[in-house]
Amino acid sequence: MWRWIRQQLGFDPPHQSDTRTIYVANRFPQNGLYTPQKFIDNRIISSKYTVWNFVPKNLFEQFRRVANFYFLIIFLVQLMIDTPTSPVTSGLPLFFVITVTAIKQGYEDWLRHNSDNEVNGAPVYVVRSGGLVKTRSKNIRVGDIVRIAKDEIFPADLVLLSSDRLDGSCHVTTASLDGETNLKVCLHMFEYCSW
C-alpha cells in the first residue's frame, strides 16, 4: 500500500510488473513464456452469513447497536448485584428482540443465497475452442467472449465488441446497479459506457 501511495504522489515510478495481459478467448501463447495469472472468478456473493459464522457474526452485529448493548449491561448488572427488580425484566425482552432479529436476518440472508445461486447458475454462451459453449455465468473467465442476446442480463463486466444494430449501438439499463430504469446508449464499438 505504501508503494501505491508513493507512486500516486510521484515519488516512485510505477513498476512494469504491475501490468497484466489479458488474452482474448483465452488463447495463450504456445512459446512457453506465458505465466498464468490469478483472476477472481465471476461468482456473485451478496450474502453476509454462512452456516459457520451466522451465530457469532449476528450476535456481534446486534450488540453493536447501542440499545441492545445497554440492555445487555443492565441484565449483567442485575445478575451480579442484588437489585429490587428481577433480571428477567431486562433479560427476557433482550432475548426476544435478539431472537426475532436473528430469525429475520437469517431469512433475508437465505433469500440472498437463493438469489445468488440463481444469478450464478444463469446460462450464458461463451466462445471456447472456436465455438459457442453453454455454461453458467459463474464460470466466465477473464478474456472470454460472451454472446448476449436481446433483453438478456449482462452476467459480468463486459466490453461491447459488436451489436446487431446498424449503427453498432446498444441500449443498457442499470437498474440493478444504481436503480435508474431509463435506457442508456452505448454508440461505438469498444466504447466505455459511463453510467
Side-chain angles (χ1 to χ4, degrees), residues 25-26 126-133 135 139-141 144-145:
N26 292 306
V126 177
V127 176
R128 291 202 179 129
S129 303
L132 281 177
V133 176
T135 186
N139 297 330
I140 295 175
R141 300 183 306 227
D144 279 344
I145 299 174

Side-chain angles (χ1 to χ4, degrees), residues 95-111:
F95 178 75
F96 177 76
V97 167
I98 286 176
T99 303
V100 169
T101 305
I103 290 170
K104 180 186 80 80
Q105 288 180 349
Y107 177 70
E108 289 174 352
D109 203 60
W110 178 72
L111 292 177

Side-chain angles (χ1 to χ4, degrees), residues 16-70:
Q16 294 296 338
S17 63
D18 291 338
T19 62
R20 61 184 182 177
T21 305
I22 298 173
Y23 295 96
V24 177
N26 292 306
R27 294 178 187 255
F28 305 114
Q30 301 299 325
N31 58 8
L33 299 176
Y34 173 68
T35 304
Q37 300 178 23
K38 302 263 186 206
F39 296 107
I40 59 172
D41 57 2
N42 194 45
R43 282 184 305 149
I44 294 175
I45 301 173
S46 62
S47 56
K48 292 195 290 187
Y49 304 111
T50 65
V51 173
W52 308 111
N53 72 2
F54 177 74
V55 172
K57 194 171 184 180
N58 188 275
L59 286 175
F60 174 75
E61 287 182 10
Q62 290 205 40
F63 284 116
R64 283 180 37 198
R65 296 183 185 131
V66 175
N68 289 349
F69 187 71
Y70 171 78

Side-chain angles (χ1 to χ4, degrees), residues 123-168:
V124 293
Y125 289 95
V126 177
V127 176
R128 291 202 179 129
S129 303
L132 281 177
V133 176
K134 186 175 182 179
T135 186
R136 295 180 175 184
S137 66
K138 69 179 180 180
N139 297 330
I140 295 175
R141 300 183 306 227
V142 173
D144 279 344
I145 299 174
V146 181
R147 188 189 87 188
I148 304 295
K150 182 179 180 181
D151 296 331
E152 283 187 358
I153 295 174
F154 274 28
D157 292 339
L158 301 174
V159 176
L160 175 65
L161 297 178
S162 68
S163 171
D164 62 352
R165 299 176 59 102
L166 294 176
D167 60 354

Side-chain angles (χ1 to χ4, degrees), residues 182-194:
N182 56 338
L183 294 174
K184 295 155 182 77
V185 179
C186 291
L187 293 176
H188 301 291
M189 188 164 66
F190 297 112
E191 176 184 1
Y192 175 74
C193 302
S194 59

